Amino acid sequence: MATMNISLPDPMRDFVQDRIENGQYASISDYVRDLIRRDQNTIAHEERWLRDLDASIDESLQEMKNGGGHDLDEVFETLVTDIQKANGNANR
């Protein structure tokens, strides 16, 4: 196992030491390893999310090429008309 030395400001060192003394971590190394694991998991989650987003965009673009989807201007006009009708009915 490799060794790394880090420097921390006193308040950060005290925070880590409190976590160890409260039994949340066995050592400073245990604390740092946990932080690294969490960071690795966050990065992996973000990468999965981006892959899923890319796939969704690709799927939507393909659907539009095949004639699917809706014209945004038409959808907006329909929504505005529906809202105006609803407001007109509410005022009666």
Side-chain angles (χ1 to χ4, degrees):
M1 187 177 296
T3 300
M4 297 178 75
N5 294 317
I6 62 168
S7 297
L8 298 174
D10 289 343
M12 291 179 99
R13 183 201 63 216
D14 294 343
F15 176 80
V16 173
Q17 194 60 45
D18 285 344
R19 304 274 286 174
I20 294 165
E21 289 171 4
N22 289 329
Q24 293 163 313
Y25 293 94
S27 66
I28 294 171
S29 294
D30 186 36
Y31 181 79
V32 172
R33 283 190 296 268
D34 185 53
L35 290 178
I36 293 169
R37 277 189 220 98
R38 289 174 189 224
D39 191 35
Q40 288 172 326
N41 288 335
T42 299
I43 290 169
H45 174 74
E46 289 171 354
E47 288 172 350
R48 280 190 305 273
W49 185 85
L50 288 172
R51 280 193 306 273
D52 291 346
L53 178 62
D54 286 343
S56 176
I57 290 169
D58 290 342
E59 182 180 324
S60 296
L61 290 173
Q62 189 60 45
E63 180 182 342
M64 300 228 12
K65 286 179 186 176
N66 293 334
H70 301 281
D71 182 87
L72 186 57
D73 290 330
E74 291 175 12
V75 171
F76 182 74
E77 287 175 20
T78 301
L79 288 172
V80 168
T81 301
D82 290 348
I83 291 169
Q84 288 171 341
K85 285 180 184 177
N87 286 340
N89 291 336
N91 292 332
R92 293 182 186 177

